[in-house]
Amino acid sequence: MSFQELNLIEPILKALQSEGYTQPTPIQEQAIPSILQGNDLLGCAQTGTGKTAAFAIPMLQLLHRPHQNIKAQRHIRALVLTPTRELAIQIEESFKAYGNHLPLRYLVIFGGVGQKPQTDALQKGVDILVATPGRLLDLMNQGFISLKDLEIFVLDEADRMLDMGFIHDVKRVIAKLPAKRQTLFFSATMPKEIQALADTILNNPVKVEVTPVSSTAEKIQQQVFFVEKTNKRHLLYHILQDKSIESVLVFARTKHGSDRIAKELGKAGIKAEAIHGNKSQNARQRALTNFKSKATRVLVATDIAARGIDVDELAYVINYELPNIPETYVHRIGRTGRAGLSGTAFSFCDAEEKAYLNDIEKLIGIKIPVTEDHPFAMTWQSLMAPAGLTSLTANNRDRAIKGKRGGQGGMNNGQQRKPQQAGQQQARKDQEPNLSGAKKAPNKKRRFWGKKKQQA
Ligand code: AMP
């Protein structure tokens, strides 16, 4: 299918051509016609699927009034609510790009920066507003924003709003919207609370679902490295010795941790920057620009800061620490392998994180192959200790791998797997951790990632 077949107007087609988009992504194919017909939409999709364009393109077309007096006072006719500043900025950039040949005005507002430039821009008149919930409410309460003329409301990344504790702010905003409006609701996952919110604010929505959260993981090559917490930095450095890894997004759990990792890599001569909520907006943007231009090789990010990061052709993601929410793992690795490109995700797992690994594997429905062949491989003894195991029986090995919450699908547990995942399960069986307890000498010639190992 082509964009022409979606009945888009010429100025939008022209902009899409300049963006180099040749054909719509599956979510665009499904969502654009429904939105153009004025339907509410429930989109189950995550970043990387082209979902921003899926709502931005039809919104631009609906809001474009060819005979509009461009000097007339403008009112906010569309609002996109999104959880992070980075995402908000990128969404506004998308509107600007796809609406480049339209006389509409766009504005992005978010907290953590002075409000004056934002209120000045609001007073000049805006058609489409992209906002994070806190600053939006703040400016609404101060009387700078009225949403009474709103025609289209987009709630983006609803599940993330919930994770980040913004759901009450979101509900407060929704309470101020006109009842008669078109609502587009996007969420990568559908926890109960989000489903309930969708049910209350959508009117007979068209449902669009692409790449359910668990299937994203299938196209990304994943590997887990069992490693002691104290050896993680050595392992990271070891992996980065491979010069073919040009750009890596490293996920850390805390702001402090991400700073420390970036600093240590810097000391080791690897250009790295950290991005997290304590950094100023300018510092975050600068770090992102450096990473995109490849001036910085490693970007270390916390989940919140990384939410909106959109780097085309990012081939590697490393989970320095495993997240305790399994969906977060999927969001993280979804930063790579975008738009059909291949991607690789490495996860460092220490003894305490095995329970997280089990939860992740349960969600994605596959066993992540273990890479044993690295100089910091954990011994069986270390793996077994947290589970209170001492003797090395085959049974204990399985229990050690399964971690504290055993029974959720470790090795040989007899769970049914989808046929295409059998190879990966086998790979894991064949890659048991180093039993000798001795640290192997690094073997630089040997690539311990890549297809070869997976197909063992
Ligand atoms: P999103 O899911 O909105 O985060 O988009 C992911 C990436 O896909 C962004 O870099 C977009 O610029 C890109 N993209 C969106 N739609 C298309 C398309 N039809 N063809 C090629 N790239 C696209």
Side-chain angles (χ1 to χ4, degrees):
M1 180 178 273
S2 68
F3 280 111
Q4 276 83 358
E5 287 169 82
L6 292 173
N7 294 323
L8 298 178
I9 53 176
E10 205 45 48
I12 294 179
L13 288 174
K14 200 166 142 193
L16 294 179
Q17 203 176 6
S18 325
E19 286 297 298
Y21 295 3
T22 49
Q23 62 183 67
T25 65
I27 192 168
Q28 292 161 7
E29 242 180 75
Q30 294 176 54
I32 293 174
S34 298
I35 299 173
L36 285 177
Q37 281 165 18
N39 292 306
D40 278 5
L41 188 101
L42 176 60
C44 206
Q46 55 199 61
T47 50
T49 54
K51 82 174 155 67
T52 312
F55 64 75
I57 292 169
M59 281 169 73
L60 287 162
Q61 181 147 332
L62 288 171
L63 294 167
H64 175 53
R65 310 270 190 268
H67 305 296
Q68 185 184 12
N69 174 0
I70 34 179
K71 291 209 174 120
Q73 177 61 35
R74 287 160 194 262
H75 305 286
I76 298 169
R77 290 187 289 141
L79 168 69
V80 181
L81 209 49
T82 192
T84 69
R85 309 184 241 197
E86 284 77 13
L87 214 42
I89 291 170
Q90 277 170 15
I91 293 172
E92 195 228 12
E93 279 171 0
S94 299
F95 274 108
K96 274 190 191 148
Y98 313 141
N100 193 18
H101 305 292
L102 297 174
L104 293 165
R105 287 213 200 127
Y106 323 100
L107 178 68
V108 59
I109 61 168
F110 44 79
V113 292
Q115 70 170 47
K116 182 81 168 59
Q118 298 178 359
T119 53
D120 286 350
L122 281 164
Q123 274 157 357
K124 284 188 196 137
V126 168
D127 297 289
I128 299 175
L129 181 67
V130 183
T132 53
R135 177 57 59 97
L136 175 68
L137 273 175
D138 194 2
L139 296 186
M140 283 168 77
N141 291 338
Q142 293 178 52
F144 286 109
I145 292 176
S146 161
L147 298 175
K148 71 177 177 37
D149 297 300
L150 197 85
E151 297 168 30
I152 308 174
F153 170 57
V154 182
L155 181 59
D156 187 36
E157 312 243 337
D159 53 348
R160 189 58 34 179
M161 295 279 198
L162 182 69
D163 288 351
M164 292 171 67
F166 294 160
I167 205 73
H168 296 295
D169 282 351
V170 170
K171 287 179 181 168
R172 273 181 215 122
V173 173
I174 292 171
K176 302 257 167 74
L177 303 180
K180 190 174 170 296
R181 59 164 198 262
Q182 185 176 6
T183 304
L184 316 175
F185 189 110
F186 290 88
S187 195
T189 57
M190 276 289 165
K192 266 193 225 123
E193 205 171 341
I194 291 304
Q195 185 64 55
L197 180 66
D199 291 344
T200 49
I201 69 169
L202 292 168
N203 183 11
N204 201 12
V206 171
K207 293 199 180 82
V208 170
E209 187 171 350
V210 292
T211 52
V213 69
S214 56
S215 71
T216 319
E218 286 168 13
K219 64 180 186 327
I220 296 163
Q221 197 185 331
Q222 301 165 71
Q223 306 204 13
V224 63
F225 297 68
F226 287 114
V227 57
E228 303 272 6
K229 195 178 273 174
T230 48
N231 277 334
K232 285 188 175 184
R233 60 201 182 107
H234 301 300
L235 178 58
L236 179 61
Y237 181 68
H238 173 72
I239 289 174
L240 292 172
Q241 294 307 297
D242 183 336
K243 297 283 184 290
S244 71
I245 301 180
E246 288 180 3
S247 286
V248 194
L249 181 57
V250 174
F251 282 94
R253 202 176 295 142
T254 63
K255 297 168 192 170
H256 177 69
S258 54
D259 275 336
R260 189 174 39 76
I261 297 166
K263 215 165 151 190
E264 279 166 2
L265 287 175
K267 276 191 206 155
I270 294 170
K271 284 196 174 153
E273 280 187 84
I275 180 170
H276 54 66
N278 277 5
K279 301 247 169 184
S280 70
Q281 182 59 18
N282 283 346
R284 287 158 72 163
Q285 273 311 119
R286 206 169 40 240
L288 203 52
T289 309
N290 289 342
F291 186 57
K292 284 185 181 179
S293 69
K294 302 217 162 101
T296 304
R297 185 173 170 212
V298 182
L299 188 65
V300 191
T302 56
D303 289 303
I304 290 177
R307 190 62 185 166
I309 296 176
D310 180 12
V311 182
D312 289 340
E313 298 173 31
L314 175 68
Y316 289 90
V317 163
I318 295 181
N319 292 305
Y320 193 87
E321 279 132 358
L322 280 178
N324 56 351
I325 301 168
E327 281 84 0
T328 302
Y329 174 83
V330 181
H331 288 309
R332 286 182 179 185
I333 69 168
R335 306 272 134 216
T336 179
R338 292 179 151 216
L341 295 169
S342 67
T344 300
F346 295 149
S347 296
F348 296 177
C349 178
D350 64 36
E352 287 168 11
E353 293 170 313
K354 277 184 290 155
Y356 302 156
L357 180 64
N358 285 329
D359 290 345
I360 290 165
E361 293 185 331
K362 199 173 162 209
L363 175 77
I364 62 178
I366 56 172
K367 307 306 297 175
I368 305 172
V370 177
T371 295
E372 178 219 341
D373 195 6
H374 66 88
F376 305 101
M378 229 164 143
T379 62
W380 273 112
Q381 285 84 341
S382 322
L383 265 174
M384 290 193 301
L389 305 168
T390 48
S391 62
L392 184 58
T393 61
N395 203 14
N396 278 354
R397 263 188 232 174
D398 283 0
R399 286 166 66 191
I401 287 270
K402 284 176 196 165
K404 288 174 204 152
R405 288 193 227 169
Q408 291 184 335
M411 295 157 69
N412 297 333
N413 69 347
Q415 271 191 2
Q416 292 259 312
R417 299 276 170 217
K418 292 183 208 159
Q420 73 269 27
Q421 289 151 1
Q424 288 190 312
Q425 193 179 5
Q426 184 62 38
R428 176 156 183 168
K429 259 189 187 175
D430 295 340
Q431 293 173 8
E432 293 179 354
N434 174 14
L435 289 178
S436 68
K439 289 191 165 73
K440 288 182 186 170
N443 179 354
K444 282 188 191 155
K445 278 193 193 135
R446 194 175 198 169
R447 278 183 70 101
F448 47 86
W449 50 87
K451 283 214 158 57
K452 220 171 157 200
K453 199 72 197 165
Q454 276 208 359
Q455 288 162 355

